[in-house]
Amino acid sequence: MDKYVVRQAIKKRENDEIVGYEIMIQSDNDSLYNTSENAVADTIAGFLTQNNDIIFKDKITFLSFPPSLFFRNTPRMFDKKKLVIQIEDNIVVHPLAPSIMQKYRRAGYKFAIDNFQFSPKYFSMLELADYAKVTLADKKDAKGKISLVNLVDMLHGFNKKCIAVGVNSKEEYDLAKEVGADFLEGNYIESATITKSSKMDYLEGNFFQLVVEVTKDEPDVEEIETIISRDASLSYAILKMVNSAYFAMRKRTSSIRQALVTLGIGQLRQWVYLLSMKDTDQGSASEEVLKLSFLRATFSSALVERMHTTEITKSEAYMIGMFSTMDYIIDATLEEILEDIPLPEVVKDALIRHTGIGGGLFQLVLDYEQADWKRLKAHTQELNIPTNMIAQLYLDCVEEVNEIWRGLTSEFERPNEEEEEK
C-alpha cells in the first residue's frame, strides 16, 4: 500500500513565527480520512509509531486520525504536549465522538476542528476545541469576505484560535490577515515573509560573486577567500559555521582559509546559501526559507539515488533544490537571477523552464510539498521512482536537515579550550 506524508507550516499572523506543522497523510488515491478500513488504519498506525521521534520532535503537530484509530485511543500513544488532534467531518458526525473527545481533553490533549462552518454539528464540538480551521476557498468576493469575517469574529467570541487554510497566493495571504485569522497555513506563506533584496544589490554584492565562484567547474580557492574576507557578514557566517557543533573542531578557528579547508569546496557549494543569512528582524522567516532550500536539496538528491539514472547527478539534484528558493529573497525571477551563474544546464533547465529530467524531479518535489498527490503519482511514474518508499524517505530527509541545522546553529562545547589558550 503506497502512502505519502508531508508537513505544512502553520504561522502566526502578527509576526510570521512558525508555531507548528500539519502532517498530511495520503494512501493510494483516496484520502485516509474518508475511509475507516482497518488495513489502512493499521498501516498508518505502524507508520506513525515508527516515526514518532521524527514527526513529533520539532514543534506542535496537527494530525488527523482515521476514525478507527481515533476510537482505538491511538492518539494517546503520542506526547500530549506536541500533538493537536485534528477532527475531520467523518469524526464530527460520529455519535461517540463527543464522549471520546471529553476523555482526551481530561488527559490533556488539544483539538482543532478542520473546515469549520456555520452548522449545528460543528458547534456541538466547539466547546471541546482549541482551534478551528477555516478555508479561504470560494470566499474572495465581497459576500464571501463578510462570511469569513463573521466566522472569525464568532470563533474569537468563543475564545477559539482561528487557522486560515488554503493560503496559496498573495491574494489569499492578504485576505487571511484582513479577516483577522490568528494563524495561516498554505503553500504561499513560506515566501510571503521575506523582504526581498533588489536584483541590483544582489548582483553587485559579494554573495553573488561567491555563488558564481563556487559553482565553477574549477573554483579558485584564493579568490573565494578574498571574496569572503572583504565582507564582514560572509566572514562571520563561515566562521560561525565551521566552529559549530556540526563540525566539532577541537580548536576554534578564526582563519577564513582554515574554514575553507574544513568545509571543502563540495560542502561550501552545497551550503553557500547559509552564508546569505543575515541577523535581521526577519531572521525566523529567512531561516525557514533556508531550511526549505536544504530540505528540497536533500530530498532531491535522495530521490536521484532511487532513479538509477546517469542523466542527472546527486550534486546537480542538490543544487536544483538549494537554488530553487532564490526568488524568495531576491526581487527578480529565477531566470534573471540565474542567468549570470555558471550552473549546469540540467539545473537551469529544471529551475527556469521546468524541463528535462531535472525539471521532472523539481516538479515532483513541489508536488510533494503541496500535497498534490495525483500529480505526484504521475511524476513518480515518469521518473520510475518507487512510490512505496517516498513517505519514509521524505521524513528521513526532514530529520537529516533538522539534525544538520541544529549542529550548524549550536555552539560546540570545548571543555579544555580555556586551558589551551592559557
Side-chain angles (χ1 to χ4, degrees), residues 20-60:
Y21 296 93
E22 178 184 357
I23 299 294
M24 294 180 283
I25 305 175
Q26 182 89 357
S27 179
D28 297 326
N29 293 321
D30 300 313
S31 171
L32 285 170
Y33 313 123
N34 293 330
T35 179
S36 59
E37 293 181 5
N38 287 332
V40 173
D42 289 342
T43 298
I44 299 310
F47 180 80
L48 291 174
T49 303
Q50 292 168 15
N51 293 281
N52 188 0
D53 290 342
I54 298 176
I55 294 174
F56 301 97
K57 190 174 186 178
D58 203 355
K59 300 178 184 292
I60 60 171

Short mmCIF file of all heavy atoms in Angstrom, two decimals, residues 20-60:
data_model
loop_
_atom_site.label_atom_id
_atom_site.label_comp_id
_atom_site.label_asym_id
_atom_site.label_seq_id
_atom_site.Cartn_x
_atom_site.Cartn_y
_atom_site.Cartn_z
N GLY A 20 3.76 25.52 14.48
CA GLY A 20 3.58 24.09 14.35
C GLY A 20 3.48 23.67 12.91
O GLY A 20 3.63 24.49 11.99
N TYR A 21 3.21 22.39 12.72
CA TYR A 21 3.07 21.83 11.38
C TYR A 21 1.85 20.92 11.34
O TYR A 21 1.55 20.22 12.32
CB TYR A 21 4.30 20.99 10.99
CG TYR A 21 5.58 21.77 10.89
CD1 TYR A 21 6.45 21.88 11.98
CD2 TYR A 21 5.94 22.41 9.70
CE1 TYR A 21 7.64 22.59 11.88
CE2 TYR A 21 7.13 23.12 9.60
CZ TYR A 21 7.97 23.21 10.69
OH TYR A 21 9.14 23.91 10.59
N GLU A 22 1.17 20.92 10.20
CA GLU A 22 0.15 19.90 9.97
C GLU A 22 0.81 18.77 9.20
O GLU A 22 1.50 19.00 8.20
CB GLU A 22 -1.04 20.42 9.19
CG GLU A 22 -2.06 19.31 8.93
CD GLU A 22 -3.25 19.71 8.07
OE1 GLU A 22 -3.33 20.90 7.69
OE2 GLU A 22 -4.08 18.83 7.77
N ILE A 23 0.63 17.55 9.66
CA ILE A 23 1.09 16.37 8.94
C ILE A 23 -0.07 15.86 8.10
O ILE A 23 -1.13 15.52 8.63
CB ILE A 23 1.57 15.27 9.89
CG1 ILE A 23 2.75 15.77 10.74
CG2 ILE A 23 1.95 14.01 9.12
CD1 ILE A 23 4.00 16.05 9.95
N MET A 24 0.12 15.85 6.79
CA MET A 24 -0.91 15.36 5.88
C MET A 24 -0.47 14.03 5.31
O MET A 24 0.62 13.90 4.76
CB MET A 24 -1.15 16.38 4.76
CG MET A 24 -1.74 17.68 5.26
SD MET A 24 -2.02 18.90 3.97
CE MET A 24 -0.34 19.48 3.71
N ILE A 25 -1.33 13.03 5.46
CA ILE A 25 -1.02 11.67 5.02
C ILE A 25 -2.03 11.24 3.97
O ILE A 25 -3.23 11.52 4.10
CB ILE A 25 -1.05 10.68 6.20
CG1 ILE A 25 -0.12 11.15 7.32
CG2 ILE A 25 -0.67 9.28 5.75
CD1 ILE A 25 -0.17 10.30 8.56
N GLN A 26 -1.53 10.58 2.95
CA GLN A 26 -2.38 10.08 1.88
C GLN A 26 -2.03 8.63 1.61
O GLN A 26 -0.86 8.24 1.68
CB GLN A 26 -2.15 10.90 0.60
CG GLN A 26 -3.01 10.51 -0.59
CD GLN A 26 -4.33 11.26 -0.61
OE1 GLN A 26 -4.61 12.03 0.30
NE2 GLN A 26 -5.12 11.04 -1.63
N SER A 27 -3.03 7.83 1.33
CA SER A 27 -2.79 6.43 0.98
C SER A 27 -3.44 6.12 -0.35
O SER A 27 -4.63 6.39 -0.55
CB SER A 27 -3.36 5.51 2.06
OG SER A 27 -3.15 4.16 1.73
N ASP A 28 -2.67 5.57 -1.27
CA ASP A 28 -3.16 5.28 -2.61
C ASP A 28 -3.80 6.53 -3.20
O ASP A 28 -3.25 7.62 -3.08
CB ASP A 28 -4.12 4.09 -2.59
CG ASP A 28 -3.41 2.82 -2.14
OD1 ASP A 28 -2.21 2.66 -2.45
OD2 ASP A 28 -4.05 2.00 -1.48
N ASN A 29 -4.96 6.41 -3.82
CA ASN A 29 -5.58 7.57 -4.47
C ASN A 29 -6.65 8.22 -3.62
O ASN A 29 -7.24 9.22 -4.00
CB ASN A 29 -6.18 7.17 -5.82
CG ASN A 29 -5.12 6.78 -6.82
OD1 ASN A 29 -4.07 7.40 -6.87
ND2 ASN A 29 -5.38 5.75 -7.60
N ASP A 30 -6.97 7.62 -2.48
CA ASP A 30 -8.07 8.14 -1.66
C ASP A 30 -7.55 8.63 -0.33
O ASP A 30 -6.64 8.06 0.26
CB ASP A 30 -9.12 7.05 -1.41
CG ASP A 30 -9.72 6.54 -2.70
OD1 ASP A 30 -10.08 7.38 -3.53
OD2 ASP A 30 -9.80 5.31 -2.87
N SER A 31 -8.16 9.70 0.17
CA SER A 31 -7.75 10.24 1.45
C SER A 31 -7.96 9.21 2.55
O SER A 31 -8.96 8.51 2.60
CB SER A 31 -8.55 11.50 1.79
OG SER A 31 -8.29 11.89 3.12
N LEU A 32 -7.00 9.12 3.43
CA LEU A 32 -7.12 8.21 4.57
C LEU A 32 -8.34 8.54 5.41
O LEU A 32 -8.95 7.68 6.03
CB LEU A 32 -5.89 8.35 5.47
CG LEU A 32 -4.62 7.73 4.97
CD1 LEU A 32 -3.48 8.17 5.85
CD2 LEU A 32 -4.75 6.23 4.98
N TYR A 33 -8.69 9.80 5.42
CA TYR A 33 -9.69 10.24 6.36
C TYR A 33 -11.10 10.12 5.80
O TYR A 33 -12.07 10.56 6.39
CB TYR A 33 -9.38 11.69 6.78
CG TYR A 33 -7.93 11.83 7.13
CD1 TYR A 33 -7.11 12.76 6.49
CD2 TYR A 33 -7.34 10.98 8.05
CE1 TYR A 33 -5.77 12.86 6.81
CE2 TYR A 33 -6.00 11.08 8.37
CZ TYR A 33 -5.23 12.01 7.76
OH TYR A 33 -3.88 12.11 8.05
N ASN A 34 -11.24 9.52 4.64
CA ASN A 34 -12.56 9.26 4.08
C ASN A 34 -12.87 7.77 4.15
O ASN A 34 -13.78 7.27 3.51
CB ASN A 34 -12.62 9.72 2.62
CG ASN A 34 -12.53 11.22 2.52
OD1 ASN A 34 -12.96 11.91 3.43
ND2 ASN A 34 -11.97 11.72 1.44
N THR A 35 -12.08 7.02 4.88
CA THR A 35 -12.29 5.58 4.97
C THR A 35 -11.92 5.12 6.37
O THR A 35 -11.12 5.74 7.05
CB THR A 35 -11.44 4.82 3.94
OG1 THR A 35 -11.69 3.42 4.10
CG2 THR A 35 -9.97 5.08 4.11
N SER A 36 -12.54 4.05 6.80
CA SER A 36 -12.20 3.51 8.12
C SER A 36 -11.71 2.08 8.00
O SER A 36 -11.79 1.31 8.95
CB SER A 36 -13.42 3.58 9.04
OG SER A 36 -14.49 2.84 8.49
N GLU A 37 -11.23 1.70 6.84
CA GLU A 37 -10.75 0.34 6.63
C GLU A 37 -9.63 0.03 7.62
O GLU A 37 -8.68 0.80 7.78
CB GLU A 37 -10.24 0.18 5.20
CG GLU A 37 -11.33 0.29 4.14
CD GLU A 37 -10.77 0.09 2.73
OE1 GLU A 37 -9.58 -0.22 2.63
OE2 GLU A 37 -11.54 0.25 1.79
N ASN A 38 -9.72 -1.12 8.25
CA ASN A 38 -8.72 -1.49 9.26
C ASN A 38 -7.33 -1.63 8.68
O ASN A 38 -6.33 -1.30 9.33
CB ASN A 38 -9.13 -2.80 9.93
CG ASN A 38 -10.31 -2.62 10.87
OD1 ASN A 38 -10.50 -1.54 11.42
ND2 ASN A 38 -11.10 -3.66 11.06
N ALA A 39 -7.24 -2.09 7.42
CA ALA A 39 -5.92 -2.26 6.80
C ALA A 39 -5.21 -0.93 6.67
O ALA A 39 -4.01 -0.81 6.96
CB ALA A 39 -6.07 -2.93 5.43
N VAL A 40 -5.96 0.09 6.25
CA VAL A 40 -5.38 1.42 6.11
C VAL A 40 -4.99 1.96 7.48
O VAL A 40 -3.89 2.49 7.67
CB VAL A 40 -6.38 2.38 5.42
CG1 VAL A 40 -5.84 3.81 5.43
CG2 VAL A 40 -6.65 1.93 4.00
N ALA A 41 -5.88 1.80 8.44
CA ALA A 41 -5.62 2.31 9.79
C ALA A 41 -4.38 1.66 10.39
O ALA A 41 -3.54 2.33 11.00
CB ALA A 41 -6.84 2.07 10.68
N ASP A 42 -4.26 0.35 10.22
CA ASP A 42 -3.10 -0.35 10.78
C ASP A 42 -1.81 0.10 10.12
O ASP A 42 -0.77 0.25 10.79
CB ASP A 42 -3.27 -1.86 10.60
CG ASP A 42 -4.35 -2.43 11.51
OD1 ASP A 42 -4.71 -1.75 12.49
OD2 ASP A 42 -4.84 -3.55 11.22
N THR A 43 -1.87 0.33 8.81
CA THR A 43 -0.68 0.80 8.09
C THR A 43 -0.22 2.15 8.63
O THR A 43 0.97 2.37 8.89
CB THR A 43 -0.96 0.92 6.58
OG1 THR A 43 -1.30 -0.37 6.07
CG2 THR A 43 0.25 1.47 5.83
N ILE A 44 -1.17 3.05 8.81
CA ILE A 44 -0.83 4.39 9.28
C ILE A 44 -0.39 4.36 10.74
O ILE A 44 0.55 5.06 11.13
CB ILE A 44 -2.03 5.35 9.10
CG1 ILE A 44 -2.38 5.43 7.62
CG2 ILE A 44 -1.70 6.73 9.65
CD1 ILE A 44 -1.21 5.73 6.70
N ALA A 45 -1.03 3.55 11.55
CA ALA A 45 -0.63 3.45 12.95
C ALA A 45 0.82 2.98 13.05
O ALA A 45 1.62 3.52 13.83
CB ALA A 45 -1.56 2.48 13.69
N GLY A 46 1.16 1.97 12.25
CA GLY A 46 2.54 1.49 12.25
C GLY A 46 3.52 2.54 11.78
O GLY A 46 4.59 2.71 12.36
N PHE A 47 3.13 3.28 10.74
CA PHE A 47 4.00 4.31 10.19
C PHE A 47 4.23 5.43 11.21
O PHE A 47 5.36 5.87 11.43
CB PHE A 47 3.38 4.89 8.92
CG PHE A 47 4.21 5.96 8.27
CD1 PHE A 47 5.29 5.63 7.47
CD2 PHE A 47 3.91 7.30 8.45
CE1 PHE A 47 6.06 6.60 6.87
CE2 PHE A 47 4.67 8.28 7.85
CZ PHE A 47 5.74 7.93 7.06
N LEU A 48 3.17 5.88 11.87
CA LEU A 48 3.30 6.94 12.87
C LEU A 48 4.14 6.49 14.06
O LEU A 48 4.96 7.24 14.58
CB LEU A 48 1.91 7.37 13.35
CG LEU A 48 1.03 8.11 12.34
CD1 LEU A 48 -0.36 8.33 12.92
CD2 LEU A 48 1.64 9.43 11.93
N THR A 49 3.94 5.26 14.48
CA THR A 49 4.70 4.74 15.62
C THR A 49 6.19 4.66 15.30
O THR A 49 7.04 5.05 16.11
CB THR A 49 4.17 3.35 16.02
OG1 THR A 49 2.76 3.46 16.32
CG2 THR A 49 4.90 2.83 17.25
N GLN A 50 6.51 4.17 14.10
CA GLN A 50 7.92 4.03 13.70
C GLN A 50 8.61 5.38 13.59
O GLN A 50 9.82 5.49 13.79
CB GLN A 50 8.01 3.29 12.37
CG GLN A 50 7.59 1.83 12.44
CD GLN A 50 7.41 1.22 11.06
OE1 GLN A 50 7.85 1.77 10.05
NE2 GLN A 50 6.75 0.09 11.00
N ASN A 51 7.85 6.43 13.25
CA ASN A 51 8.43 7.75 13.02
C ASN A 51 8.04 8.75 14.09
O ASN A 51 8.10 9.97 13.86
CB ASN A 51 8.01 8.26 11.63
CG ASN A 51 8.61 7.45 10.52
OD1 ASN A 51 9.78 7.60 10.17
ND2 ASN A 51 7.81 6.54 9.96
N ASN A 52 7.65 8.25 15.24
CA ASN A 52 7.20 9.11 16.34
C ASN A 52 8.23 10.18 16.67
O ASN A 52 7.91 11.37 16.82
CB ASN A 52 6.92 8.23 17.57
CG ASN A 52 6.28 9.01 18.70
OD1 ASN A 52 6.03 10.19 18.59
ND2 ASN A 52 6.03 8.32 19.80
N ASP A 53 9.50 9.80 16.78
CA ASP A 53 10.55 10.74 17.19
C ASP A 53 10.78 11.82 16.15
O ASP A 53 11.21 12.93 16.50
CB ASP A 53 11.86 9.98 17.45
CG ASP A 53 11.78 9.12 18.70
OD1 ASP A 53 10.89 9.37 19.52
OD2 ASP A 53 12.60 8.20 18.82
N ILE A 54 10.54 11.51 14.88
CA ILE A 54 10.75 12.50 13.82
C ILE A 54 9.56 13.45 13.72
O ILE A 54 9.70 14.67 13.71
CB ILE A 54 10.97 11.80 12.46
CG1 ILE A 54 12.22 10.93 12.50
CG2 ILE A 54 11.09 12.84 11.34
CD1 ILE A 54 12.46 10.13 11.25
N ILE A 55 8.36 12.87 13.65
CA ILE A 55 7.16 13.68 13.42
C ILE A 55 6.88 14.62 14.58
O ILE A 55 6.50 15.77 14.38
CB ILE A 55 5.94 12.75 13.18
CG1 ILE A 55 6.13 11.96 11.88
CG2 ILE A 55 4.65 13.55 13.12
CD1 ILE A 55 5.06 10.93 11.64
N PHE A 56 7.06 14.14 15.80
CA PHE A 56 6.67 14.93 16.97
C PHE A 56 7.87 15.53 17.70
O PHE A 56 7.79 15.87 18.87
CB PHE A 56 5.85 14.07 17.93
CG PHE A 56 4.59 13.51 17.31
CD1 PHE A 56 4.56 12.23 16.79
CD2 PHE A 56 3.46 14.29 17.23
CE1 PHE A 56 3.42 11.72 16.20
CE2 PHE A 56 2.30 13.80 16.64
CZ PHE A 56 2.28 12.51 16.13
N LYS A 57 9.00 15.66 17.01
CA LYS A 57 10.22 16.10 17.68
C LYS A 57 10.36 17.61 17.68
O LYS A 57 10.94 18.20 18.58
CB LYS A 57 11.43 15.48 16.97
CG LYS A 57 12.75 15.68 17.70
CD LYS A 57 13.84 14.90 17.01
CE LYS A 57 15.14 14.96 17.79
NZ LYS A 57 16.20 14.16 17.16
N ASP A 58 9.82 18.28 16.67
CA ASP A 58 10.08 19.70 16.47
C ASP A 58 9.07 20.55 17.23
O ASP A 58 9.16 20.72 18.44
CB ASP A 58 10.04 20.00 14.98
CG ASP A 58 10.82 21.25 14.62
OD1 ASP A 58 11.30 21.91 15.53
OD2 ASP A 58 10.94 21.54 13.42
N LYS A 59 8.09 21.10 16.54
CA LYS A 59 7.07 21.94 17.16
C LYS A 59 5.78 21.13 17.29
O LYS A 59 5.76 19.93 17.00
CB LYS A 59 6.87 23.20 16.32
CG LYS A 59 8.13 24.04 16.18
CD LYS A 59 7.89 25.26 15.31
CE LYS A 59 9.17 26.04 15.10
NZ LYS A 59 9.65 26.68 16.34
N ILE A 60 4.69 21.78 17.74
CA ILE A 60 3.44 21.05 17.87
C ILE A 60 2.98 20.56 16.49
O ILE A 60 3.22 21.21 15.48
CB ILE A 60 2.34 21.90 18.54
CG1 ILE A 60 2.03 23.17 17.73
CG2 ILE A 60 2.70 22.23 19.96
CD1 ILE A 60 0.81 23.91 18.25
#
